[in-house]
Amino acid sequence: AFTSNETGEVNDYHRHRLFVLDISPGASTGPIPIDCRPGSKFNPRWSPDGQYIAFEAPLQPDLSYSQEAIWTVPVAGGEPVNLFADTHYDAEEMIWSSDGAIYCQAADRTATTLLRIRDGGIEPLTNAPDACEGLSANEHGVAFIRENGQMLPEVCLLRPDGRLQSLTEFGKSFLEKQLLPEFETVSWQCEGFEIEGVMLKPPGYTPGHRLPLLVQLHGGPKANATCTLRGYYASSVWACEGYLVLLPNFRGSSGYGNDFAVANRRDLGGGDLRDVLAGVELLVEKGLADAERLAVMGASYGGFLVNA
């Protein structure tokens, strides 16, 4: 099973179709299209019994930045089923295990959560502030990479009985020698939206002391800031150098549902910028940030917002 936009043009990402190709010896037929819904489709995965294909696709076919959902469709063709209906998740990676369950890494507010989907239900297997990636599954469980604000990336195994086991401790001895920032998820209201952000305080922060604030704006804008030591902007390093750091998940970010994902449509640098500024004002009002010492940085879409 594979997807193709049938043109080879990189920008034709709205036109992907799903195909099945018989590669057994002697097969003479070419690719057979499975016409199930318009718009782009990615990462097709066979069900264990070979009767269904799961794939990722935006909820609104004409908006690539709408909620990224997981769909299943019969190989024989038919109406696809949205497994993320009425949820706030955005799919990032998924596999179909031998027991018929789909395991998915999904943006989930300020976390990246491991989900199990089976019998029409979705079960979170990890909790915030964990971030997960790199899935593999067999009869022994699900292996993945796990990290958070207290742990560098490590290989973990979620066993069938629900027990979570760390298989590596690559970063443990290093972190034992380090001072680590304090992570906190903060939220505020802006124009009817609840906006969240990841805030980092320096180690040993003294309450009531105002700090220089560094705001770090993620790219995308379809992405989300998470509570992890690693990061594109080295947030932990800045915090350990004495800065208060804020990484806001402004409107248009992933992991907050479709309405939030498309809320900045035709308003780039508008409402999303106001979301950021409202977060800055909140930290000043709380006595955390020094209003005379404010800085902002970002790359890609975050760089656009910096200029805005």
Side-chain angles (χ1 to χ4, degrees), residues 193-269:
F193 291 100
E194 181 186 21
I195 311 299
E196 284 189 329
V198 176
M199 182 176 68
L200 288 76
K201 298 176 183 176
Y205 168 73
T206 302
H209 180 57
R210 290 185 181 270
L211 298 172
L213 173 65
L214 174 61
V215 180
Q216 298 183 323
L217 303 175
H218 66 67
K222 190 70 182 301
N224 66 323
T226 58
C227 300
T228 56
L229 288 171
R230 296 187 311 152
Y232 188 70
Y233 304 134
S235 306
S236 298
V237 177
W238 288 98
C240 288
E241 290 292 332
Y243 285 83
L244 182 70
V245 181
L246 176 66
L247 299 94
N249 283 334
F250 41 84
R251 68 188 79 174
S253 298
S254 56
Y256 293 88
N258 188 64
D259 290 345
F260 195 83
V262 302
N264 59 353
R265 186 185 187 196
R266 296 175 177 167
D267 187 34
L268 302 179

Side-chain angles (χ1 to χ4, degrees), residues 94-108:
M94 61 125 173
I95 55 174
W96 211 323
S97 68
S98 58
D99 64 358
I102 293 176
Y103 291 90
C104 173
Q105 159 204 336
D108 177 13

Side-chain angles (χ1 to χ4, degrees), residues 143-155:
F144 60 97
I145 308 295
R146 173 175 171 246
E147 61 179 311
N148 54 45
Q150 301 294 319
M151 183 178 75
L152 290 171
E154 303 288 358
V155 180

Side-chain angles (χ1 to χ4, degrees), residues 114-220:
L114 176 62
L115 307 174
R116 177 166 54 208
I117 308 171
R118 63 181 175 186
D119 301 326
I122 299 180
E123 177 186 6
L125 301 177
T126 58
N127 300 308
D130 285 352
C132 307
E133 62 179 334
L135 306 180
S136 181
N138 65 12
E139 67 274 12
H140 301 294
V142 184
F144 60 97
I145 308 295
R146 173 175 171 246
E147 61 179 311
N148 54 45
Q150 301 294 319
M151 183 178 75
L152 290 171
E154 303 288 358
V155 180
C156 294
L157 177 65
L158 184 67
R159 296 190 175 277
D161 61 4
R163 183 163 51 96
L164 182 63
Q165 177 184 0
S166 292
L167 302 182
T168 64
E169 293 184 338
F170 295 129
K172 182 179 180 181
S173 61
F174 171 78
L175 290 183
E176 287 174 347
K177 306 171 186 176
Q178 311 300 319
L179 292 174
L180 301 181
E182 300 176 22
F183 283 82
E184 182 180 340
T185 297
V186 292
S187 63
W188 59 94
Q189 296 293 320
C190 184
E191 301 173 354
F193 291 100
E194 181 186 21
I195 311 299
E196 284 189 329
V198 176
M199 182 176 68
L200 288 76
K201 298 176 183 176
Y205 168 73
T206 302
H209 180 57
R210 290 185 181 270
L211 298 172
L213 173 65
L214 174 61
V215 180
Q216 298 183 323
L217 303 175
H218 66 67

